[in-house]
Amino acid sequence: MDVGGSSVKYALIGPDRSLTEHGKVPTPHDDRAAYLDALAGIYAQFHGRVEGIAMSVPGIIDSEGGVCKTTGALGLGEDFPLVQELEARCGVPVTIANDAKAAATAEAAWGSLAGCSSGIVIVLGTGIGGALILDGKVLAGRHFAAGEFSTLCLDNHHDDIFHTWCGLNGSSKLITTAAYAKGVDPAAVNGEDVFGWINAGDQAACMALDSFTLTLAGMIRNLQLIFDPERFAIGGGISQQPRLMESLRRNLAQVERLTARHGMPRAEVVTCKYYNDANLIGAYAYYVQRRG
């Protein structure tokens, strides 16, 4: 199961990592009982056919303890013992992992970071999900928050979200910038519209993309110098757009010129392999790591 802000996606997965019987249900907010009912209802469809439940969930997650330390936009409070509660209802083993860390686990195990001792995954969505890979495994951090990139400050303004990394590289920023550049109401535009303009060569939209990837390139350069990973993998829906990666690589070459003069390494950047299925496959990858 992959719990998102609007829906819980689910699928049956086997040892060959093929996903079948996809579905989704609305995600309950602000009510733990309703949330658990929804999850148990999904499991009921597969009762007697599966070994266990592997989950990707939002928030800061103590995967080993099975506890959601926070629940993000779901509004389910802190220190939610999700594994204990769901196992009691369903009677099968349950594992949970943070959604971005789940995606990184999939990429480290079988995807774009397979075989890398170190790496960084950056997931571009409404926020900036992420994870650090060290010795081939996702780094949790002392407070289970390593790779929580969204609220990193990019300047001296610390009082609103617009000056954080997600404020400057969340998907809504690209949509808003492109829409205003074209004199269109951002509320009437989505990412597909923006990349339709970009792919058609619209100058205003292309300039918005260039501004967007310049900020992203700067942060990748910073992370390269801090962590020095073998490879970066970029995920999220817009990572599937070839023009995004073209613009990012062009701007990355620009921002790396200064550090390259001092012999600093350049970042190797690729796209994630699993795209929209990364969280589901990563939840399974974590289940395999925990339970074999």
Side-chain angles (χ1 to χ4, degrees), residues 2-5 35 56-61 68 70-74 97-100:
D2 174 24
V3 179
Y35 180 66
S56 158
V57 295
I60 296 174
I61 308 301
C68 300
T70 67
T71 53
L74 300 186
N98 165 269
D99 43 15

Side-chain angles (χ1 to χ4, degrees), residues 106-122:
E107 295 299 328
W110 307 301
S112 296
L113 298 179
C116 290
S117 176
S118 61
I120 294 180
V121 174
I122 299 171

Side-chain angles (χ1 to χ4, degrees), residues 271-285:
T271 58
C272 288
K273 175 179 178 179
Y274 290 111
Y275 295 119
N276 290 333
D277 289 331
N279 291 3
L280 290 170
I281 294 173
Y284 171 72

Side-chain angles (χ1 to χ4, degrees), residues 100-260:
K101 290 181 173 62
T105 301
E107 295 299 328
W110 307 301
S112 296
L113 298 179
C116 290
S117 176
S118 61
I120 294 180
V121 174
I122 299 171
V123 182
L124 302 174
T126 304
I128 307 294
L132 309 176
I133 308 295
L134 186 61
D135 297 328
K137 295 184 178 180
V138 174
L139 183 66
R142 174 65 180 83
H143 302 95
F144 317 107
E148 292 290 332
F149 296 141
S150 273
T151 53
L152 286 177
C153 292
L154 272 66
D155 57 29
N156 290 327
H157 295 85
H158 306 299
D159 53 353
D160 63 57
I161 200 71
F162 302 107
H163 294 271
T164 63
W165 194 5
C166 71
L168 292 173
N169 271 143
S171 55
S172 59
K173 176 65 174 181
L174 176 59
I175 292 170
T176 300
T177 303
Y180 282 141
K182 288 186 63 63
V184 177
D185 181 2
V189 175
N190 60 32
E192 291 183 0
D193 296 324
V194 171
F195 277 97
W197 299 334
I198 292 168
N199 291 328
D202 182 272
Q203 186 175 6
C206 289
M207 289 178 66
L209 177 64
D210 186 66
S211 175
F212 179 84
T213 59
L214 181 59
T215 302
L216 179 58
M219 291 303 289
I220 289 173
R221 188 269 309 274
N222 291 343
L223 290 170
Q224 177 69 43
L225 296 176
I226 292 168
F227 192 60
D228 194 21
E230 292 179 46
R231 186 178 300 156
F232 287 80
I234 309 298
I238 64 173
S239 68
Q240 299 179 58
Q241 296 286 343
R243 293 292 294 273
L244 175 95
M245 294 303 293
E246 291 172 12
S247 179
L248 174 58
R249 290 192 173 109
R250 184 170 58 252
N251 276 318
L252 190 57
Q254 176 68 27
V255 302
E256 286 181 331
R257 287 179 183 174
L258 174 63
T259 52

Side-chain angles (χ1 to χ4, degrees), residues 1 8-10 24-25 37-47:
M1 303 183 196
V8 181
K9 296 190 298 183
Y10 61 88
K24 64 180 179 180
V25 300
D37 285 345
L39 301 179
I42 293 172
Y43 169 73
Q45 301 176 50
F46 301 96
H47 179 72

